[in-house]
Amino acid sequence: MVRYGPSTALLVVDVQNDFADPAGSLSVKGGDTIVDLINGKAWKAIRAGAFVVYTQDWHPATTPHFAKDGGIWPVHCVAGTWGAAFHPALEVIGPSVRKGANGEDGYSGFTMRDPTSGTTVPTALESLLRGRGVTRVLVCGLATDFCVAWTAMDARAEGFETVVLEDLSRAIDLGGSLDKARADMRAAGV
Ligand code: VGL
Ligand code: ZN
C-alpha cells in the first residue's frame, strides 16, 4: 500500500513519445498502457498534498549517448522534437526537469555525466525536492531498467526513502538489464 503526504514526491520519469508511443524511436513495450495509470496516481498524490515532478530525456542531435556517435542507443528524445515531447495523454501537473541538454550522458533524473570531462553535474531535481521538504520518493515511468532504476538509486543515495512503482513502469529489458536493475536497486536499498 502506497501512502502519500506532503513529504512524499511522485517522480514520473521520461513518459515521452520516443519511449511511450509505439511509433517512437526507442519504444518501450507497453509504454502507452501506463499513461492513464500514472495520471490517476498523480492526481491522487496532489490531492494528498504530495509533490509530482516529471523528467524528460532531452538530448542534442549529436551526443555520445547515441549509437551513431559512439554510444548504444538509437537517436531519441532530441530537444524540441515530437519524440522528446510528453506523451499527449500524460497530464503534466507538476514541474518538469530536463536532462542531457548539453550533451550529458547517463540515465538518472538527478545527475548527468559530462561526456568530455567525465564529471557529474546535478540537475534541478534534488533542490526542487528539498525545497518542498520531500523525504520520500516514489518513482515510475520509462524505462524501469534504465532511467527509472538510476533515478531511484540516486534518490536513495541522496538519502530519500525510495520506492519504485513497477506496475506504473515498463522496461526495455536489453540482455538481462531488467533483472540486473532489480538486483542493483535492491542492493542499493530501493
Ligand atoms: C532511457 C535509454 C536511453 C530511459 C533514456 O529513459 O530509460 N533509456 N535514454
Ligand atoms: Zn536517452
Side-chain angles (χ1 to χ4, degrees):
M1 197 33 217
V2 173
R3 296 160 288 118
Y4 292 92
S7 61
T8 295
L10 177 69
L11 306 185
V12 180
V13 174
D14 299 3
V15 182
Q16 297 164 265
N17 288 321
D18 269 341
F19 300 120
D21 190 293
S25 66
L26 191 40
S27 174
V28 181
K29 195 162 172 279
D32 56 346
T33 65
I34 59 173
V35 179
D36 287 346
L37 299 172
I38 289 174
N39 289 337
K41 275 282 198 264
W43 285 111
K44 184 179 163 198
I46 295 282
R47 281 195 300 266
F51 193 31
V52 183
V53 184
Y54 299 78
T55 66
Q56 279 174 296
D57 215 25
W58 200 257
H59 299 300
T62 300
T63 161
H65 188 69
F66 294 157
K68 69 175 180 66
D69 306 310
I72 62 169
W73 301 108
V75 173
H76 63 275
C77 298
V78 173
T81 63
W82 171 84
F86 287 117
H87 186 284
L90 185 72
E91 293 167 351
V92 181
I93 54 176
S96 63
V97 171
R98 291 172 175 172
K99 55 196 164 81
N102 301 308
E104 300 92 339
D105 205 349
Y107 302 114
S108 167
F110 286 92
T111 52
M112 304 174 291
R113 198 183 60 91
D114 184 311
T116 350
S117 67
T119 56
T120 300
V121 204
T123 67
L125 183 54
E126 190 191 353
S127 54
L128 263 178
L129 298 177
R130 300 276 185 221
R132 287 278 301 232
V134 169
T135 57
R136 178 169 171 267
V137 299
L138 312 173
V139 191
C140 66
L142 302 169
T144 316
D145 41 349
F146 290 95
C147 288
V148 169
W150 283 91
T151 299
M153 289 189 286
D154 263 0
R156 188 69 204 103
E158 301 289 358
F160 296 100
E161 184 190 337
T162 308
V163 176
V164 169
L165 307 177
E166 277 216 57
D167 52 340
L168 300 188
S169 306
R170 291 293 181 273
I172 296 175
D173 203 10
L174 195 72
S177 57
L178 180 58
D179 286 344
K180 183 178 185 313
R182 283 194 180 124
D184 289 347
M185 287 193 280
R186 206 161 296 131
V190 172

